[in-house]
mmCIF file of all heavy atoms in Angstrom:
data_model
loop_
_atom_site.group_PDB
_atom_site.id
_atom_site.type_symbol
_atom_site.label_atom_id
_atom_site.label_comp_id
_atom_site.label_asym_id
_atom_site.label_seq_id
_atom_site.Cartn_x
_atom_site.Cartn_y
_atom_site.Cartn_z
ATOM 1 N N ASP A 426 -21.823 -25.758 -1.598
ATOM 2 C CA ASP A 426 -20.757 -25.385 -2.449
ATOM 3 C C ASP A 426 -19.621 -26.426 -2.478
ATOM 4 O O ASP A 426 -18.917 -26.613 -1.474
ATOM 5 C CB ASP A 426 -20.209 -23.930 -2.066
ATOM 6 C CG ASP A 426 -19.229 -23.420 -3.082
ATOM 7 O OD1 ASP A 426 -18.750 -24.227 -3.977
ATOM 8 O OD2 ASP A 426 -18.942 -22.193 -3.031
ATOM 9 N N LEU A 427 -19.528 -27.183 -3.541
ATOM 10 C CA LEU A 427 -18.444 -28.249 -3.667
ATOM 11 C C LEU A 427 -17.562 -27.891 -4.764
ATOM 12 O O LEU A 427 -17.962 -27.681 -5.881
ATOM 13 C CB LEU A 427 -19.158 -29.615 -3.845
ATOM 14 C CG LEU A 427 -18.200 -30.789 -4.041
ATOM 15 C CD1 LEU A 427 -17.361 -30.987 -2.761
ATOM 16 C CD2 LEU A 427 -18.943 -32.022 -4.383
ATOM 17 N N ARG A 428 -16.246 -27.921 -4.498
ATOM 18 C CA ARG A 428 -15.243 -27.647 -5.558
ATOM 19 C C ARG A 428 -14.216 -28.776 -5.534
ATOM 20 O O ARG A 428 -13.481 -29.000 -4.562
ATOM 21 C CB ARG A 428 -14.533 -26.295 -5.269
ATOM 22 C CG ARG A 428 -15.446 -25.191 -4.899
ATOM 23 C CD ARG A 428 -14.846 -23.903 -4.501
ATOM 24 N NE ARG A 428 -15.791 -23.023 -3.795
ATOM 25 C CZ ARG A 428 -15.456 -21.899 -3.268
ATOM 26 N NH1 ARG A 428 -14.194 -21.415 -3.386
ATOM 27 N NH2 ARG A 428 -16.333 -21.216 -2.609
ATOM 28 N N LEU A 429 -14.179 -29.412 -6.681
ATOM 29 C CA LEU A 429 -13.291 -30.607 -6.848
ATOM 30 C C LEU A 429 -12.255 -30.173 -7.941
ATOM 31 O O LEU A 429 -12.607 -30.118 -9.100
ATOM 32 C CB LEU A 429 -14.048 -31.857 -7.293
ATOM 33 C CG LEU A 429 -15.197 -32.299 -6.456
ATOM 34 C CD1 LEU A 429 -16.045 -33.428 -7.016
ATOM 35 C CD2 LEU A 429 -14.718 -32.596 -5.038
ATOM 36 N N ILE A 430 -11.008 -30.035 -7.441
ATOM 37 C CA ILE A 430 -9.954 -29.524 -8.387
ATOM 38 C C ILE A 430 -8.859 -30.646 -8.482
ATOM 39 O O ILE A 430 -8.387 -31.179 -7.436
ATOM 40 C CB ILE A 430 -9.320 -28.286 -7.820
ATOM 41 C CG1 ILE A 430 -10.431 -27.171 -7.699
ATOM 42 C CG2 ILE A 430 -8.173 -27.719 -8.759
ATOM 43 C CD1 ILE A 430 -9.924 -25.903 -6.931
ATOM 44 N N GLY A 431 -8.543 -31.030 -9.685
ATOM 45 C CA GLY A 431 -7.565 -32.150 -9.830
ATOM 46 C C GLY A 431 -8.291 -33.395 -10.325
ATOM 47 O O GLY A 431 -9.309 -33.763 -9.833
ATOM 48 N N SER A 432 -7.634 -34.054 -11.304
ATOM 49 C CA SER A 432 -8.275 -35.141 -11.939
ATOM 50 C C SER A 432 -8.404 -36.431 -11.136
ATOM 51 O O SER A 432 -9.121 -37.402 -11.366
ATOM 52 C CB SER A 432 -7.494 -35.623 -13.200
ATOM 53 O OG SER A 432 -6.210 -35.905 -12.906
ATOM 54 N N SER A 433 -7.776 -36.403 -9.881
ATOM 55 C CA SER A 433 -7.867 -37.513 -8.942
ATOM 56 C C SER A 433 -9.181 -37.596 -8.219
ATOM 57 O O SER A 433 -9.432 -38.502 -7.393
ATOM 58 C CB SER A 433 -6.684 -37.574 -8.004
ATOM 59 O OG SER A 433 -6.691 -36.362 -7.115
ATOM 60 N N LEU A 434 -10.001 -36.577 -8.423
ATOM 61 C CA LEU A 434 -11.324 -36.406 -7.723
ATOM 62 C C LEU A 434 -12.498 -36.704 -8.615
ATOM 63 O O LEU A 434 -13.482 -35.883 -8.516
ATOM 64 C CB LEU A 434 -11.377 -35.039 -6.954
ATOM 65 C CG LEU A 434 -10.298 -34.867 -5.945
ATOM 66 C CD1 LEU A 434 -10.285 -33.382 -5.487
ATOM 67 C CD2 LEU A 434 -10.589 -35.721 -4.733
ATOM 68 N N ARG A 435 -12.377 -37.641 -9.471
ATOM 69 C CA ARG A 435 -13.460 -37.942 -10.402
ATOM 70 C C ARG A 435 -14.436 -38.892 -9.856
ATOM 71 O O ARG A 435 -14.913 -39.801 -10.605
ATOM 72 C CB ARG A 435 -12.879 -38.346 -11.816
ATOM 73 C CG ARG A 435 -11.978 -37.343 -12.390
ATOM 74 C CD ARG A 435 -11.512 -37.796 -13.726
ATOM 75 N NE ARG A 435 -12.662 -37.964 -14.617
ATOM 76 C CZ ARG A 435 -12.550 -37.905 -15.943
ATOM 77 N NH1 ARG A 435 -11.392 -37.683 -16.425
ATOM 78 N NH2 ARG A 435 -13.618 -38.059 -16.693
ATOM 79 N N TYR A 436 -14.724 -38.859 -8.612
ATOM 80 C CA TYR A 436 -15.565 -39.877 -7.927
ATOM 81 C C TYR A 436 -17.019 -39.400 -7.813
ATOM 82 O O TYR A 436 -17.804 -40.029 -7.122
ATOM 83 C CB TYR A 436 -15.051 -40.281 -6.585
ATOM 84 C CG TYR A 436 -13.576 -40.631 -6.614
ATOM 85 C CD1 TYR A 436 -12.580 -40.002 -5.842
ATOM 86 C CD2 TYR A 436 -13.145 -41.630 -7.426
ATOM 87 C CE1 TYR A 436 -11.308 -40.330 -5.790
ATOM 88 C CE2 TYR A 436 -11.719 -42.035 -7.514
ATOM 89 C CZ TYR A 436 -10.918 -41.338 -6.614
ATOM 90 O OH TYR A 436 -9.572 -41.718 -6.679
ATOM 91 N N TYR A 437 -17.358 -38.191 -8.345
ATOM 92 C CA TYR A 437 -18.724 -37.769 -8.110
ATOM 93 C C TYR A 437 -19.728 -38.667 -8.690
ATOM 94 O O TYR A 437 -20.859 -38.678 -8.227
ATOM 95 C CB TYR A 437 -18.871 -36.313 -8.661
ATOM 96 C CG TYR A 437 -18.927 -36.309 -10.131
ATOM 97 C CD1 TYR A 437 -20.100 -36.456 -10.826
ATOM 98 C CD2 TYR A 437 -17.752 -36.048 -10.955
ATOM 99 C CE1 TYR A 437 -20.196 -36.504 -12.254
ATOM 100 C CE2 TYR A 437 -17.770 -36.059 -12.266
ATOM 101 C CZ TYR A 437 -18.975 -36.258 -12.922
ATOM 102 O OH TYR A 437 -19.081 -36.207 -14.257
ATOM 103 N N SER A 438 -19.372 -39.519 -9.641
ATOM 104 C CA SER A 438 -20.324 -40.376 -10.202
ATOM 105 C C SER A 438 -20.806 -41.492 -9.275
ATOM 106 O O SER A 438 -21.838 -42.052 -9.461
ATOM 107 C CB SER A 438 -19.748 -41.161 -11.462
ATOM 108 O OG SER A 438 -18.574 -41.809 -11.044
ATOM 109 N N LYS A 439 -20.012 -41.606 -8.155
ATOM 110 C CA LYS A 439 -20.412 -42.577 -7.139
ATOM 111 C C LYS A 439 -21.085 -41.926 -5.909
ATOM 112 O O LYS A 439 -21.326 -42.588 -4.914
ATOM 113 C CB LYS A 439 -19.178 -43.283 -6.672
ATOM 114 C CG LYS A 439 -18.456 -44.123 -7.775
ATOM 115 C CD LYS A 439 -17.223 -44.859 -7.224
ATOM 116 C CE LYS A 439 -16.523 -45.660 -8.317
ATOM 117 N NZ LYS A 439 -17.368 -46.699 -8.925
#
Side-chain angles (χ1 to χ4, degrees):
D426 187 347
L427 176 63
R428 312 175 200 176
L429 304 176
I430 303 172
S432 59
S433 62
L434 294 170
R435 299 184 61 156
Y436 308 124
Y437 70 86
S438 60
K439 299 181 181 296

